[in-house]
């Protein structure tokens, strides 16, 4: 079954790229690990309790994100600008 969403691997990847990473102007190429760290910082630094049900759902959602795909997209745009 194909679970692609708006041209991305899945809904989680599309949504994180759109709502968390989409407005950032990156000055360097990014790795998947770098992007995951940015997203986790954004989500969990704004969460009052880190050990609550909402945080558990956020972790589950983030675990579905294809950060490699987002990094590839960002790095391709970065290469086009250079």
């Amino acid at each position: 079954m194909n679970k692609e969403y708006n041209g991305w691997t899945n809904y989680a990847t599309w949504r994180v790229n759109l709502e968390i990473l989409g407005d950032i102007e990156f000055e360097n190429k990014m790795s998947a690990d770098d992007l995951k760290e940015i997203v986790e910082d954004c989500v969990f630094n704004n969460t009052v309790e880190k050990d609550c049900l909402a945080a558990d759902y956020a972790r589950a959602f983030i675990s579905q994100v294809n950060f490699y795909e987002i990094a590839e997209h960002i790095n391709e745009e970065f290469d086009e600008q250079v």
Side-chain angles (χ1 to χ4, degrees):
M1 178 169 45
N2 186 352
K3 295 186 179 196
E4 284 188 7
Y5 194 88
N6 284 343
W8 294 88
T9 299
N10 56 30
Y11 176 75
T13 302
W14 170 78
R15 184 117 185 235
V16 164
N17 182 64
L18 177 70
E19 295 181 344
I20 298 177
L21 300 171
D23 291 332
I24 299 174
E25 291 187 31
F26 295 98
E27 296 179 12
N28 299 304
K29 289 188 174 187
M30 302 300 292
S31 71
D33 290 336
D34 293 333
L35 297 175
K36 184 175 182 184
E37 185 176 328
I38 291 168
V39 170
E40 287 176 342
D41 285 346
C42 178
V43 172
F44 297 113
N45 286 339
N46 295 315
T47 301
V48 177
E49 284 186 56
K50 296 193 191 286
D51 294 324
C52 66
L53 182 61
D56 290 343
Y57 276 98
R59 280 186 202 91
F61 190 80
I62 290 170
S63 74
Q64 297 176 34
V65 175
N66 184 342
F67 287 103
Y68 294 98
E69 180 181 18
I70 298 173
E72 183 177 304
H73 175 76
I74 289 169
N75 293 336
E76 284 175 2
E77 287 186 354
F78 183 79
D79 286 339
E80 290 173 5
Q81 294 173 2
V82 175

